[in-house]
Amino acid sequence: MALRACGFIVFRRLAQSSPLPDNIEYLLLQTSYGKHHWTPPKGHVDPGEDDLTTALRETQEEAGLREEHLQVVDGFLQELCYEVRGRPKTVLYWLAELRDPKMAVTLSKEHQDYRWAKLEEACSLAQHKDLQDTLRAAQQHLDTEQGKH
Ligand SMILES: Nc1nc2c(ncn2[C@@H]2O[C@H](COP(=O)(O)OP(=O)(O)OP(=O)(O)OP(=O)(O)OC[C@H]3O[C@@H](n4cnc5c(=O)[nH]c(N)nc54)[C@H](O)[C@@H]3O)[C@@H](O)[C@H]2O)c(=O)[nH]1
């Protein structure tokens, strides 16, 4: 069976009302193990746990951001499929805005660093094309939403 993980693309809007894409930063965490790769907060689904609960739990454990700190964005859910050590893995990402952009991130032992990065820097840290595409899709989604208002 495929490994399954869930998480959030967490973003914050900068205080000054500069136009997109400059006012949006994405949260990426760098692992303290392995190749020290960067991903949004996410992790494995526990037995019997539903996907959104996993995404919220992992975001709290890995970044210290709880459900009440986040505004989940409607209509965005991305599924990534890749192999880890020869096993298929599926990762689901929801999109959520940090309600208070000044709120501090608190890392767990699983991560050694974090970055709030604008789209291009986030894509460069993310490295994998599927994750880069997901970040770009998030930006596109927010761009479209903003255009409606
Ligand atoms: N010591 C040690 N311990 C490890 C290691 N490994 C795990 N642990 C332990 O596991 C626990 C983590 O548990 P959770 O938090 O529940 O799980 P996840 O959040 O799911 O975290 P993972 O790191 O398992 O999984 P991925 O992020 O998926 O990285 C796996 C591989 O896939 C590549 N990769 C990453 N993202 C993408 C992408 O978007 N697209 C594509 N195409 N590829 C991508 C990436 O480059 C990498 O090579 C830790 O506490 C450790 O104890 C390790 O190497 N050494």
Side-chain angles (χ1 to χ4, degrees):
M1 223 176 74
L3 295 167
R4 191 171 183 84
C6 298
F8 274 103
I9 308 280
V10 179
F11 70 95
R12 66 180 186 182
R13 287 178 213 266
L14 299 177
Q16 70 270 28
S17 54
S18 49
L20 275 167
D22 281 351
N23 68 339
I24 293 201
E25 292 180 334
Y26 298 92
L27 178 62
L28 289 170
L29 313 177
Q30 183 182 36
T31 60
S32 47
Y33 54 83
K35 291 180 183 161
H36 306 296
H37 64 283
W38 295 81
T39 74
K42 59 130 178 51
H44 296 117
V45 178
D46 283 344
E49 189 176 44
D50 76 78
D51 291 337
L52 187 55
T53 302
T54 302
L56 290 166
R57 175 180 56 74
E58 289 285 347
T59 302
Q60 177 171 348
E61 287 174 7
E62 296 187 345
L65 305 176
R66 295 200 304 272
E67 184 170 7
E68 63 264 33
H69 301 136
L70 302 170
Q71 172 74 55
V72 180
V73 175
D74 283 340
F76 185 94
L77 180 60
Q78 292 269 312
E79 182 179 281
L80 283 70
C81 297
Y82 53 91
E83 279 204 356
V84 178
R85 289 178 280 276
R87 262 184 95 184
K89 178 169 185 176
T90 302
V91 183
L92 294 181
Y93 283 115
W94 280 265
L95 178 62
E97 179 169 5
L98 185 61
R99 290 178 188 271
D100 173 4
K102 293 199 184 76
M103 180 157 182
V105 168
T106 308
L107 296 179
S108 71
K109 287 199 180 115
E110 279 181 35
H111 295 96
Q112 62 181 23
D113 200 5
Y114 72 92
R115 197 82 48 91
W116 285 106
K118 293 192 177 143
L119 181 64
E120 288 314 315
E121 187 193 355
C123 287
S124 152
L125 291 170
Q127 289 195 335
H128 300 282
K129 182 170 185 306
D130 46 6
L131 184 51
Q132 292 170 340
D133 288 346
T134 296
L135 290 163
R136 290 190 198 286
Q139 185 91 14
Q140 182 70 48
H141 188 86
L142 296 172
D143 216 347
T144 307
E145 285 296 299
Q146 187 156 295
K148 286 184 195 162
H149 301 294

